[in-house]
Amino acid sequence: MTYLKSPTASTLQLGPRAADKRGMRLNERLVPVLFGGCLLAGAPAVAEALVGNHTITIAGRIHFYAVGFTSLAAAAACIALSVVGARFRDLRTVMVGGAFGVMAALLALHGLSTPGFITPNKMNGVIMLTGGATLPTGAALLTLSSFGVNRRLKLSIGRLLWIEAGLLVAILSLGISAIFWPALVPTVPQANSPAALGTLAFGLLLFGILAFRAMHTFLLTRRYSDLVVTVGLVWLGISLWAALTMTYANLGWWMGHALELDGILAVGIPVALDLARSVQSRPLSGDLHASDLVLSEESFLGSHVRALTLSLAQRDDYTEQHTRRVALRSVQVGELLGLSPGRLRALATGALIHDIGKLSVPDSILKKPRPLEDDEYEVIKRHTDQGAKLLDELGGFPASVRRLVHDHHERLDGGGYPQGLRADQIDLDTRILTACDVYDALISPRVYRPAWKHVDAIDLLRRETGTAFDARCVKALERVLARERGEQEPRPEPVFAGAVATARA
């Protein structure tokens, strides 16, 4: 019998895009990257605490020109982002662009209302109100966007644009009113006043929620841009602290203004880059699920994973479709069982390529229209070792992913392969993949047998719980399948005996 040579990185010919190791290197350096991100995010707060209360004198024209006109440019860029998002029919980008457009417009009005230029030469309510309201208003709009208020209210892109235009007109009207009626707007909130501290608490809460959701997205995607968004949100929170606890006579107040613009750029630029790549920006929405990693693996897991799934599809379309279904259900089960974002990412990657070792199996065995002979089944069983070996050669895949590829045919009772591991040697992630893999193999039609019915496959998983499958995984899989089928799954009566081997690897 002739066997195919085991695939290698060179024989796969992954190409330059697939050889891009940035996402893979980030996987390996996650802790240092997170540490660097924390330093970058927290450094301004340390600087504010050390020197922020120093008294300085800076001419009002610096505030008028630097804050006013820089913010006007930022507002124009954010409005343009919102308009471009509308052309791409991307609600998230429209909301983000609108929120930052409102923030930048308020900050521009804050700078342009500096006393002695457009407005009379005395402190006015507009400069006070806009200084305190810019960041909380933006945080509120971003939070509403992140929790999908636009979808719940069924707002169209056209309506969103009209709402954003209305907010900008209101800001413009506020500015015009300050020129003719300076006393129309009260001079609130004063620094460290109850109103200022209440606004600060409200704003920090919102920015904290946004930063937490952005970090969750980063831990799933491992994209540097999503970490930059998280850092930018922290900067906006720090600048809010400076704006509401200090005055223009403090160095920290001026530092906060600069940090505010930096924060807007740190959040806005990654959104614009995602739009340019025709990828929906997710860190601010916070609704990225592990299933999205499976559905868009090149965007979120990297071109190296996509290249492997394409190689599998070119060799055997059934195997590629099978692995995609298994991966989708696996991460949904993982979410139900409370796996961390990092483990969900590894599970998504490992499940998508868990059968990559089948590239080494000859077509005469892989696509045989009859049951396998014993020696042929032994060849099939080698795919777990071959898959792990290929990932080792490619490099960059974490141990958790390689373990999923290597161990997904192990059983709790030690009767699996390739090592015959016992229950205490098999982690939860592998148990999830094993249950989902067998279920999908059973319900899929094969050239040598018809597909099993759903109730029959579930019955086998239930009956072999404790020997082959983990009870928690089987129950969670049933919940996922019930949701998938849009019905409450009744417990089926036992139908007929079977063995996990029926799934044929």
Side-chain angles (χ1 to χ4, degrees), residues 101-124:
V102 169
M103 287 176 65
L106 282 170
L107 189 59
L109 180 55
H110 173 72
L112 296 175
S113 59
T114 303
F117 293 86
I118 298 176
T119 60
N121 191 19
K122 63 178 182 179
M123 187 59 66
N124 59 76

Side-chain angles (χ1 to χ4, degrees), residues 94-106:
V94 173
M95 288 289 289
V96 171
F100 279 106
V102 169
M103 287 176 65
L106 282 170

Side-chain angles (χ1 to χ4, degrees), residues 167-486:
L167 289 172
L168 293 174
V169 169
I171 294 171
L172 179 62
S173 300
L174 179 64
I176 294 174
S177 70
I179 297 174
F180 296 101
W181 302 285
L184 184 64
V185 181
T187 54
V188 292
Q190 298 286 344
N192 289 312
S193 67
L197 295 178
T199 303
L200 175 61
F202 173 73
L204 289 179
L205 173 64
L206 296 183
F207 280 124
I209 292 172
L210 290 169
F212 175 81
R213 290 162 71 86
M215 177 56 71
H216 180 272
T217 299
F218 165 72
L219 291 174
L220 278 173
T221 64
R222 305 292 171 87
R223 300 191 309 172
Y224 286 111
S225 60
D226 294 334
L227 182 60
V228 170
V229 170
T230 307
V231 171
L233 290 168
V234 175
W235 284 353
L236 291 174
I238 296 171
S239 63
L240 178 62
W241 165 44
L244 294 174
T245 62
M246 302 176 187
T247 70
Y248 64 91
N250 299 123
L251 175 60
W253 188 83
W254 293 89
M255 292 167 59
H257 272 36
L259 191 62
E260 187 171 347
L261 288 171
D262 291 339
I264 291 174
L265 291 175
V267 178
I269 289 176
V271 174
L273 292 176
D274 277 342
L275 186 64
R277 294 192 296 261
S278 299
V279 176
Q280 282 195 329
S281 190
R282 306 299 285 270
L284 286 174
S285 64
D287 63 350
L288 185 73
H289 295 288
S291 56
D292 294 305
L293 305 184
V294 176
L295 297 172
S296 302
E297 74 268 24
E298 183 167 7
S299 298
F300 297 121
L301 298 178
S303 56
H304 56 296
V305 175
R306 178 59 177 162
L308 290 176
T309 59
L310 284 176
S311 296
L312 200 55
Q314 292 168 0
R315 177 69 195 289
D316 181 26
D317 185 64
Y318 162 79
T319 301
E320 192 271 339
Q321 293 298 318
H322 160 73
T323 57
R324 190 167 297 279
R325 292 190 300 269
V326 170
L328 187 59
R329 292 183 180 120
S330 293
V331 294
Q332 291 172 334
V333 169
E335 285 184 320
L336 284 178
L337 295 179
L339 294 189
S340 66
R343 290 175 68 181
L344 287 171
R345 178 182 175 82
L347 182 57
T349 304
L352 273 171
I353 58 176
H354 74 273
D355 275 340
I356 195 66
K358 288 187 177 179
L359 290 174
S360 65
V361 178
D363 285 343
S364 60
I365 296 177
L366 190 61
K367 300 177 182 180
K368 184 178 179 179
R370 295 180 302 279
L372 297 179
E373 303 294 335
D374 290 344
D375 60 336
E376 294 171 328
Y377 186 56
E378 288 301 316
V379 173
I380 282 282
K381 288 168 65 176
R382 296 174 193 165
H383 80 277
T384 55
D385 283 323
Q386 297 293 352
K389 180 181 178 181
L390 174 60
L391 297 190
D392 283 335
E393 182 178 344
L394 289 172
F397 288 93
S400 54
V401 172
R402 300 196 302 271
R403 185 169 56 250
L404 286 166
V405 172
H406 189 257
D407 295 347
H408 67 275
H409 280 292
E410 299 287 356
R411 291 169 52 105
L412 299 184
D413 60 4
Y417 65 85
Q419 298 182 92
L421 300 179
R422 306 292 297 188
D424 60 351
Q425 299 173 298
I426 305 174
D427 60 23
L428 178 60
D429 311 55
T430 303
R431 299 179 188 204
I432 291 171
L433 177 55
T434 299
C436 295
D437 183 32
V438 171
Y439 171 80
D440 190 80
L442 290 173
I443 66 167
S444 301
R446 306 299 296 271
V447 291
Y448 60 90
R449 64 157 174 82
W452 284 32
K453 294 181 180 179
H454 164 76
V455 292
D456 298 340
I458 285 296
D459 179 63
L460 184 145
L461 265 63
R462 286 173 174 166
R463 286 186 288 104
E464 300 217 16
T465 291
T467 55
F469 309 111
D470 184 286
R472 294 167 298 172
C473 300
V474 173
K475 290 179 181 178
L477 176 59
E478 289 188 66
R479 290 176 58 189
V480 167
L481 295 173
R483 185 190 309 157
E484 183 181 300
R485 294 160 64 87

